[in-house]
mmCIF file of all heavy atoms in Angstrom:
data_model
loop_
_atom_site.group_PDB
_atom_site.id
_atom_site.type_symbol
_atom_site.label_atom_id
_atom_site.label_comp_id
_atom_site.label_asym_id
_atom_site.label_seq_id
_atom_site.Cartn_x
_atom_site.Cartn_y
_atom_site.Cartn_z
ATOM 1 N N GLU A 222 -8.694 12.643 20.507
ATOM 2 C CA GLU A 222 -7.694 11.648 20.591
ATOM 3 C C GLU A 222 -6.426 12.261 21.319
ATOM 4 O O GLU A 222 -6.195 13.487 21.289
ATOM 5 C CB GLU A 222 -7.164 11.184 19.187
ATOM 6 C CG GLU A 222 -8.178 10.654 18.293
ATOM 7 C CD GLU A 222 -8.852 11.532 17.332
ATOM 8 O OE1 GLU A 222 -8.824 12.801 17.699
ATOM 9 O OE2 GLU A 222 -9.345 11.201 16.312
ATOM 10 N N SER A 223 -5.600 11.370 21.972
ATOM 11 C CA SER A 223 -4.379 11.704 22.666
ATOM 12 C C SER A 223 -3.522 10.630 22.760
ATOM 13 O O SER A 223 -3.935 9.410 22.356
ATOM 14 C CB SER A 223 -4.703 12.305 24.047
ATOM 15 O OG SER A 223 -5.305 11.286 24.892
ATOM 16 N N GLY A 224 -2.208 10.804 23.029
ATOM 17 C CA GLY A 224 -1.352 9.664 23.271
ATOM 18 C C GLY A 224 -0.286 9.486 22.134
ATOM 19 O O GLY A 224 0.616 8.617 22.281
ATOM 20 N N GLY A 225 -0.385 10.293 21.095
ATOM 21 C CA GLY A 225 0.624 10.281 19.952
ATOM 22 C C GLY A 225 1.911 10.799 20.409
ATOM 23 O O GLY A 225 2.056 11.456 21.505
ATOM 24 N N GLY A 226 2.925 10.608 19.593
ATOM 25 C CA GLY A 226 4.202 11.122 19.875
ATOM 26 C C GLY A 226 5.253 10.411 19.014
ATOM 27 O O GLY A 226 4.998 9.778 18.048
ATOM 28 N N LEU A 227 6.573 10.709 19.364
ATOM 29 C CA LEU A 227 7.662 10.184 18.726
ATOM 30 C C LEU A 227 8.133 8.838 19.499
ATOM 31 O O LEU A 227 8.327 8.959 20.686
ATOM 32 C CB LEU A 227 8.734 11.113 18.617
ATOM 33 C CG LEU A 227 10.143 10.643 18.093
ATOM 34 C CD1 LEU A 227 10.044 10.250 16.564
ATOM 35 C CD2 LEU A 227 11.222 11.688 18.208
ATOM 36 N N VAL A 228 8.350 7.804 18.754
ATOM 37 C CA VAL A 228 8.821 6.544 19.415
ATOM 38 C C VAL A 228 9.702 5.839 18.472
ATOM 39 O O VAL A 228 9.604 6.005 17.122
ATOM 40 C CB VAL A 228 7.593 5.619 19.721
ATOM 41 C CG1 VAL A 228 6.765 5.188 18.493
ATOM 42 C CG2 VAL A 228 7.992 4.408 20.558
ATOM 43 N N GLN A 229 10.655 5.150 19.070
ATOM 44 C CA GLN A 229 11.654 4.331 18.179
ATOM 45 C C GLN A 229 11.058 3.053 17.669
ATOM 46 O O GLN A 229 10.030 2.541 18.303
ATOM 47 C CB GLN A 229 12.792 3.969 19.071
ATOM 48 C CG GLN A 229 13.701 5.251 19.446
ATOM 49 C CD GLN A 229 14.954 4.830 20.177
ATOM 50 O OE1 GLN A 229 15.155 3.776 20.637
ATOM 51 N NE2 GLN A 229 15.911 5.840 20.173
ATOM 52 N N PRO A 230 11.506 2.590 16.628
ATOM 53 C CA PRO A 230 11.008 1.202 16.108
ATOM 54 C C PRO A 230 11.123 0.144 17.112
ATOM 55 O O PRO A 230 12.084 0.184 17.890
ATOM 56 C CB PRO A 230 11.989 0.941 14.878
ATOM 57 C CG PRO A 230 12.357 2.366 14.394
ATOM 58 C CD PRO A 230 12.523 3.211 15.716
ATOM 59 N N GLY A 231 10.097 -0.576 17.299
ATOM 60 C CA GLY A 231 9.979 -1.669 18.327
ATOM 61 C C GLY A 231 9.308 -1.155 19.549
ATOM 62 O O GLY A 231 9.078 -1.978 20.499
ATOM 63 N N GLY A 232 9.110 0.176 19.647
ATOM 64 C CA GLY A 232 8.533 0.690 20.903
ATOM 65 C C GLY A 232 7.041 0.549 20.923
ATOM 66 O O GLY A 232 6.358 0.002 20.039
ATOM 67 N N SER A 233 6.403 1.188 21.926
ATOM 68 C CA SER A 233 4.949 1.019 22.126
ATOM 69 C C SER A 233 4.372 2.421 22.471
ATOM 70 O O SER A 233 5.072 3.278 22.994
ATOM 71 C CB SER A 233 4.711 0.088 23.318
ATOM 72 O OG SER A 233 5.157 -1.165 23.056
ATOM 73 N N LEU A 234 3.070 2.563 22.105
ATOM 74 C CA LEU A 234 2.285 3.684 22.501
ATOM 75 C C LEU A 234 0.906 3.232 22.800
ATOM 76 O O LEU A 234 0.462 2.203 22.145
ATOM 77 C CB LEU A 234 2.290 4.769 21.397
ATOM 78 C CG LEU A 234 3.557 5.652 21.186
ATOM 79 C CD1 LEU A 234 3.253 6.587 19.998
ATOM 80 C CD2 LEU A 234 3.786 6.499 22.419
ATOM 81 N N ARG A 235 0.207 4.008 23.611
ATOM 82 C CA ARG A 235 -1.200 3.783 23.759
ATOM 83 C C ARG A 235 -2.008 5.039 23.498
ATOM 84 O O ARG A 235 -1.810 6.097 24.053
ATOM 85 C CB ARG A 235 -1.627 3.255 25.226
ATOM 86 C CG ARG A 235 -2.977 2.917 25.361
ATOM 87 C CD ARG A 235 -3.375 2.406 26.663
ATOM 88 N NE ARG A 235 -3.648 3.379 27.638
ATOM 89 C CZ ARG A 235 -4.502 3.207 28.729
ATOM 90 N NH1 ARG A 235 -5.049 2.094 28.910
ATOM 91 N NH2 ARG A 235 -4.643 4.160 29.488
ATOM 92 N N LEU A 236 -2.818 4.953 22.475
ATOM 93 C CA LEU A 236 -3.694 6.051 22.141
ATOM 94 C C LEU A 236 -5.008 6.020 22.831
ATOM 95 O O LEU A 236 -5.566 4.907 23.095
ATOM 96 C CB LEU A 236 -3.980 6.062 20.647
ATOM 97 C CG LEU A 236 -2.743 6.079 19.690
ATOM 98 C CD1 LEU A 236 -3.242 6.196 18.223
ATOM 99 C CD2 LEU A 236 -1.787 7.101 19.996
ATOM 100 N N SER A 237 -5.564 7.088 23.116
ATOM 101 C CA SER A 237 -6.946 7.205 23.754
ATOM 102 C C SER A 237 -7.702 8.121 22.953
ATOM 103 O O SER A 237 -7.272 9.071 22.374
ATOM 104 C CB SER A 237 -6.729 7.759 25.276
ATOM 105 O OG SER A 237 -6.010 6.980 26.011
ATOM 106 N N CYS A 238 -9.035 7.843 23.024
ATOM 107 C CA CYS A 238 -10.076 8.692 22.351
ATOM 108 C C CYS A 238 -11.242 8.780 23.279
ATOM 109 O O CYS A 238 -11.968 7.825 23.611
ATOM 110 C CB CYS A 238 -10.497 8.099 21.033
ATOM 111 S SG CYS A 238 -11.875 8.968 20.230
ATOM 112 N N VAL A 239 -11.420 10.054 23.769
ATOM 113 C CA VAL A 239 -12.602 10.342 24.776
ATOM 114 C C VAL A 239 -13.755 10.836 23.852
ATOM 115 O O VAL A 239 -13.481 11.793 23.081
ATOM 116 C CB VAL A 239 -12.224 11.303 25.833
ATOM 117 C CG1 VAL A 239 -13.445 11.550 26.643
ATOM 118 C CG2 VAL A 239 -11.046 10.750 26.616
ATOM 119 N N VAL A 240 -14.937 10.347 24.123
ATOM 120 C CA VAL A 240 -16.086 10.738 23.366
ATOM 121 C C VAL A 240 -17.169 11.453 24.260
ATOM 122 O O VAL A 240 -17.511 10.855 25.310
ATOM 123 C CB VAL A 240 -16.802 9.526 22.700
ATOM 124 C CG1 VAL A 240 -17.923 9.850 21.784
ATOM 125 C CG2 VAL A 240 -15.690 8.707 21.844
ATOM 126 N N SER A 241 -17.571 12.558 23.779
ATOM 127 C CA SER A 241 -18.654 13.185 24.604
ATOM 128 C C SER A 241 -19.926 12.732 24.260
ATOM 129 O O SER A 241 -20.086 11.958 23.200
ATOM 130 C CB SER A 241 -18.525 14.752 24.315
ATOM 131 O OG SER A 241 -18.878 15.081 22.962
ATOM 132 N N GLY A 242 -20.905 13.071 24.967
ATOM 133 C CA GLY A 242 -22.360 12.646 24.595
ATOM 134 C C GLY A 242 -22.718 11.331 25.225
ATOM 135 O O GLY A 242 -22.002 10.767 26.081
ATOM 136 N N ARG A 243 -23.990 11.075 25.031
ATOM 137 C CA ARG A 243 -24.553 9.887 25.707
ATOM 138 C C ARG A 243 -24.473 8.685 24.822
ATOM 139 O O ARG A 243 -24.158 8.682 23.692
ATOM 140 C CB ARG A 243 -25.978 10.208 26.088
ATOM 141 C CG ARG A 243 -26.224 11.341 27.038
ATOM 142 C CD ARG A 243 -27.624 11.589 27.347
ATOM 143 N NE ARG A 243 -28.225 12.405 26.269
ATOM 144 C CZ ARG A 243 -29.499 12.850 26.315
ATOM 145 N NH1 ARG A 243 -30.339 12.473 27.269
ATOM 146 N NH2 ARG A 243 -29.984 13.576 25.367
ATOM 147 N N SER A 244 -24.780 7.510 25.496
ATOM 148 C CA SER A 244 -24.940 6.276 24.851
ATOM 149 C C SER A 244 -23.647 5.738 24.092
ATOM 150 O O SER A 244 -23.715 5.102 23.167
ATOM 151 C CB SER A 244 -26.069 6.356 23.813
ATOM 152 O OG SER A 244 -27.273 6.811 24.380
ATOM 153 N N PHE A 245 -22.507 6.107 24.690
ATOM 154 C CA PHE A 245 -21.251 5.734 24.073
ATOM 155 C C PHE A 245 -21.287 4.152 23.876
ATOM 156 O O PHE A 245 -20.808 3.669 22.859
ATOM 157 C CB PHE A 245 -20.028 6.132 25.065
ATOM 158 C CG PHE A 245 -18.768 5.520 24.637
ATOM 159 C CD1 PHE A 245 -17.961 6.005 23.597
ATOM 160 C CD2 PHE A 245 -18.156 4.370 25.355
ATOM 161 C CE1 PHE A 245 -16.726 5.469 23.308
ATOM 162 C CE2 PHE A 245 -16.952 3.855 25.002
ATOM 163 C CZ PHE A 245 -16.260 4.391 23.999
ATOM 164 N N SER A 246 -21.723 3.328 24.902
ATOM 165 C CA SER A 246 -21.629 1.958 24.878
ATOM 166 C C SER A 246 -22.291 1.283 23.718
ATOM 167 O O SER A 246 -21.975 0.103 23.394
ATOM 168 C CB SER A 246 -22.117 1.338 26.103
ATOM 169 O OG SER A 246 -23.545 1.676 26.366
ATOM 170 N N ILE A 247 -23.314 1.968 23.142
ATOM 171 C CA ILE A 247 -24.029 1.283 22.015
ATOM 172 C C ILE A 247 -23.383 1.355 20.620
ATOM 173 O O ILE A 247 -23.792 0.726 19.687
ATOM 174 C CB ILE A 247 -25.487 1.788 21.927
ATOM 175 C CG1 ILE A 247 -25.539 3.281 21.354
ATOM 176 C CG2 ILE A 247 -26.166 1.767 23.299
ATOM 177 C CD1 ILE A 247 -26.877 3.747 21.015
ATOM 178 N N TYR A 248 -22.350 2.223 20.480
ATOM 179 C CA TYR A 248 -21.706 2.427 19.317
ATOM 180 C C TYR A 248 -20.497 1.600 19.074
ATOM 181 O O TYR A 248 -19.677 1.418 19.902
ATOM 182 C CB TYR A 248 -21.217 3.957 19.128
ATOM 183 C CG TYR A 248 -22.387 4.873 19.056
ATOM 184 C CD1 TYR A 248 -22.987 5.519 20.108
ATOM 185 C CD2 TYR A 248 -22.900 5.273 17.778
ATOM 186 C CE1 TYR A 248 -24.049 6.429 19.954
ATOM 187 C CE2 TYR A 248 -23.902 6.071 17.611
ATOM 188 C CZ TYR A 248 -24.470 6.722 18.763
ATOM 189 O OH TYR A 248 -25.512 7.567 18.517
ATOM 190 N N PRO A 249 -20.293 1.052 17.800
ATOM 191 C CA PRO A 249 -19.061 0.603 17.403
ATOM 192 C C PRO A 249 -18.038 1.676 17.335
ATOM 193 O O PRO A 249 -18.407 2.880 16.968
ATOM 194 C CB PRO A 249 -19.285 -0.063 15.993
ATOM 195 C CG PRO A 249 -20.342 0.713 15.532
ATOM 196 C CD PRO A 249 -21.283 1.032 16.611
ATOM 197 N N MET A 250 -16.750 1.445 17.719
ATOM 198 C CA MET A 250 -15.688 2.401 17.637
ATOM 199 C C MET A 250 -14.632 1.911 16.722
ATOM 200 O O MET A 250 -14.283 0.709 16.741
ATOM 201 C CB MET A 250 -15.257 2.834 19.010
ATOM 202 C CG MET A 250 -16.312 3.449 19.947
ATOM 203 S SD MET A 250 -16.814 5.061 19.394
ATOM 204 C CE MET A 250 -15.285 5.936 19.389
ATOM 205 N N GLY A 251 -14.006 2.836 16.070
ATOM 206 C CA GLY A 251 -12.935 2.386 15.185
ATOM 207 C C GLY A 251 -11.712 3.355 15.208
ATOM 208 O O GLY A 251 -11.848 4.481 15.636
ATOM 209 N N TRP A 252 -10.502 2.736 14.851
ATOM 210 C CA TRP A 252 -9.336 3.593 14.670
ATOM 211 C C TRP A 252 -8.958 3.483 13.169
ATOM 212 O O TRP A 252 -9.056 2.471 12.634
ATOM 213 C CB TRP A 252 -8.136 3.029 15.589
ATOM 214 C CG TRP A 252 -8.301 3.403 16.949
ATOM 215 C CD1 TRP A 252 -8.737 2.612 17.940
ATOM 216 C CD2 TRP A 252 -7.932 4.634 17.637
ATOM 217 N NE1 TRP A 252 -8.666 3.306 19.139
ATOM 218 C CE2 TRP A 252 -8.207 4.615 18.939
ATOM 219 C CE3 TRP A 252 -7.373 5.876 17.105
ATOM 220 C CZ2 TRP A 252 -8.002 5.615 19.819
ATOM 221 C CZ3 TRP A 252 -7.128 6.908 17.998
ATOM 222 C CH2 TRP A 252 -7.334 6.702 19.404
ATOM 223 N N TYR A 253 -8.562 4.717 12.674
ATOM 224 C CA TYR A 253 -8.038 4.764 11.292
ATOM 225 C C TYR A 253 -6.751 5.549 11.233
ATOM 226 O O TYR A 253 -6.434 6.181 12.424
ATOM 227 C CB TYR A 253 -9.162 5.531 10.428
ATOM 228 C CG TYR A 253 -10.391 4.766 10.147
ATOM 229 C CD1 TYR A 253 -11.273 4.559 11.156
ATOM 230 C CD2 TYR A 253 -10.620 4.241 8.932
ATOM 231 C CE1 TYR A 253 -12.482 3.825 10.970
ATOM 232 C CE2 TYR A 253 -11.788 3.547 8.600
ATOM 233 C CZ TYR A 253 -12.709 3.280 9.638
ATOM 234 O OH TYR A 253 -13.859 2.642 9.366
ATOM 235 N N ARG A 254 -6.096 5.559 10.218
ATOM 236 C CA ARG A 254 -4.829 6.299 10.102
ATOM 237 C C ARG A 254 -4.599 6.778 8.785
ATOM 238 O O ARG A 254 -5.070 6.180 7.756
ATOM 239 C CB ARG A 254 -3.666 5.455 10.596
ATOM 240 C CG ARG A 254 -3.227 4.309 9.709
ATOM 241 C CD ARG A 254 -2.188 3.363 10.434
ATOM 242 N NE ARG A 254 -1.713 2.253 9.585
ATOM 243 C CZ ARG A 254 -0.901 1.337 9.920
ATOM 244 N NH1 ARG A 254 -0.312 1.398 11.198
ATOM 245 N NH2 ARG A 254 -0.559 0.472 9.078
ATOM 246 N N GLN A 255 -3.816 7.841 8.686
ATOM 247 C CA GLN A 255 -3.442 8.459 7.362
ATOM 248 C C GLN A 255 -1.999 8.789 7.433
ATOM 249 O O GLN A 255 -1.541 9.680 8.121
ATOM 250 C CB GLN A 255 -4.292 9.674 7.018
ATOM 251 C CG GLN A 255 -4.085 10.206 5.636
ATOM 252 C CD GLN A 255 -5.195 11.144 5.165
ATOM 253 O OE1 GLN A 255 -6.011 11.633 6.114
ATOM 254 N NE2 GLN A 255 -5.201 11.421 3.987
ATOM 255 N N GLY A 256 -1.160 8.068 6.617
ATOM 256 C CA GLY A 256 0.271 8.238 6.584
ATOM 257 C C GLY A 256 0.537 9.377 5.522
ATOM 258 O O GLY A 256 -0.293 9.765 4.752
ATOM 259 N N PRO A 257 1.831 9.827 5.556
ATOM 260 C CA PRO A 257 2.169 10.920 4.688
ATOM 261 C C PRO A 257 1.896 10.582 3.203
ATOM 262 O O PRO A 257 2.447 9.507 2.776
ATOM 263 C CB PRO A 257 3.672 11.064 4.900
ATOM 264 C CG PRO A 257 3.895 10.473 6.308
ATOM 265 C CD PRO A 257 2.850 9.372 6.442
ATOM 266 N N GLY A 258 1.211 11.427 2.535
ATOM 267 C CA GLY A 258 0.881 11.122 1.129
ATOM 268 C C GLY A 258 0.048 9.927 0.842
ATOM 269 O O GLY A 258 -0.156 9.515 -0.284
ATOM 270 N N GLN A 259 -0.711 9.383 1.871
ATOM 271 C CA GLN A 259 -1.551 8.176 1.661
ATOM 272 C C GLN A 259 -2.896 8.526 2.077
ATOM 273 O O GLN A 259 -3.303 9.567 2.633
ATOM 274 C CB GLN A 259 -1.027 7.163 2.589
ATOM 275 C CG GLN A 259 0.429 6.659 2.345
ATOM 276 C CD GLN A 259 0.831 5.553 3.255
ATOM 277 O OE1 GLN A 259 0.105 5.073 4.117
ATOM 278 N NE2 GLN A 259 2.053 5.158 3.134
ATOM 279 N N GLN A 260 -3.810 7.597 1.598
ATOM 280 C CA GLN A 260 -5.254 7.853 1.907
ATOM 281 C C GLN A 260 -5.466 7.310 3.338
ATOM 282 O O GLN A 260 -4.715 6.423 3.841
ATOM 283 C CB GLN A 260 -6.107 7.038 0.949
ATOM 284 C CG GLN A 260 -6.068 7.664 -0.461
ATOM 285 C CD GLN A 260 -7.061 6.940 -1.379
ATOM 286 O OE1 GLN A 260 -7.451 5.732 -1.196
ATOM 287 N NE2 GLN A 260 -7.590 7.778 -2.296
ATOM 288 N N ARG A 261 -6.534 7.708 3.951
ATOM 289 C CA ARG A 261 -6.924 7.120 5.279
ATOM 290 C C ARG A 261 -7.340 5.707 5.155
ATOM 291 O O ARG A 261 -7.980 5.317 4.270
ATOM 292 C CB ARG A 261 -8.092 7.957 5.856
ATOM 293 C CG ARG A 261 -8.355 7.671 7.287
ATOM 294 C CD ARG A 261 -9.416 8.671 7.872
ATOM 295 N NE ARG A 261 -9.023 9.974 7.833
ATOM 296 C CZ ARG A 261 -9.667 11.026 8.355
ATOM 297 N NH1 ARG A 261 -10.825 10.746 9.090
ATOM 298 N NH2 ARG A 261 -9.228 12.232 8.319
ATOM 299 N N GLU A 262 -6.790 4.899 6.092
ATOM 300 C CA GLU A 262 -7.069 3.459 6.093
ATOM 301 C C GLU A 262 -7.596 3.038 7.515
ATOM 302 O O GLU A 262 -7.135 3.637 8.519
ATOM 303 C CB GLU A 262 -5.829 2.718 5.661
ATOM 304 C CG GLU A 262 -4.732 2.810 6.670
ATOM 305 C CD GLU A 262 -3.475 1.910 6.261
ATOM 306 O OE1 GLU A 262 -3.494 1.196 5.353
ATOM 307 O OE2 GLU A 262 -2.484 1.913 7.103
ATOM 308 N N TRP A 263 -8.399 2.010 7.325
ATOM 309 C CA TRP A 263 -8.882 1.382 8.581
ATOM 310 C C TRP A 263 -7.828 0.603 9.331
ATOM 311 O O TRP A 263 -7.010 -0.093 8.714
ATOM 312 C CB TRP A 263 -10.006 0.555 8.277
ATOM 313 C CG TRP A 263 -10.538 -0.425 9.322
ATOM 314 C CD1 TRP A 263 -11.317 -0.023 10.436
ATOM 315 C CD2 TRP A 263 -10.408 -1.784 9.353
ATOM 316 N NE1 TRP A 263 -11.519 -1.118 11.169
ATOM 317 C CE2 TRP A 263 -11.071 -2.211 10.631
ATOM 318 C CE3 TRP A 263 -9.780 -2.753 8.586
ATOM 319 C CZ2 TRP A 263 -11.026 -3.597 10.997
ATOM 320 C CZ3 TRP A 263 -9.821 -4.071 8.983
ATOM 321 C CH2 TRP A 263 -10.428 -4.475 10.147
ATOM 322 N N VAL A 264 -7.870 0.744 10.651
ATOM 323 C CA VAL A 264 -6.880 0.003 11.422
ATOM 324 C C VAL A 264 -7.556 -1.083 12.348
ATOM 325 O O VAL A 264 -7.121 -2.296 12.330
ATOM 326 C CB VAL A 264 -6.083 0.981 12.399
ATOM 327 C CG1 VAL A 264 -5.233 0.268 13.426
ATOM 328 C CG2 VAL A 264 -5.245 1.959 11.632
ATOM 329 N N ALA A 265 -8.581 -0.664 13.031
ATOM 330 C CA ALA A 265 -9.212 -1.668 13.973
ATOM 331 C C ALA A 265 -10.608 -1.163 14.338
ATOM 332 O O ALA A 265 -10.840 0.083 14.273
ATOM 333 C CB ALA A 265 -8.342 -1.823 15.220
ATOM 334 N N THR A 266 -11.411 -2.128 14.769
ATOM 335 C CA THR A 266 -12.794 -1.802 15.216
ATOM 336 C C THR A 266 -13.164 -2.639 16.397
ATOM 337 O O THR A 266 -12.714 -3.723 16.474
ATOM 338 C CB THR A 266 -13.848 -2.190 14.048
ATOM 339 O OG1 THR A 266 -13.554 -1.361 12.922
ATOM 340 C CG2 THR A 266 -15.220 -1.852 14.516
#
């Protein structure tokens, strides 16, 4: 993953995730997040 950083409220960021290996296109891909003191949660698929 890449693209994280510090941003002000109301701002934008674009995260990227490069995957090695073959057959990338056949897999579902998801984003998850884990905030401070929190459990990991699903964001998008």
Side-chain angles (χ1 to χ4, degrees):
E222 301 96 336
S223 62
L227 174 63
V228 62
Q229 291 187 342
S233 299
L234 281 176
R235 188 175 82 153
L236 306 183
S237 301
C238 173
V239 179
V240 184
S241 68
R243 293 180 281 183
S244 304
F245 171 79
S246 63
I247 71 171
Y248 288 93
M250 296 296 301
W252 284 97
Y253 290 70
R254 67 186 182 186
Q255 186 166 13
Q259 299 178 3
Q260 291 189 330
R261 190 174 298 189
E262 64 175 0
W263 169 70
V264 173
T266 299

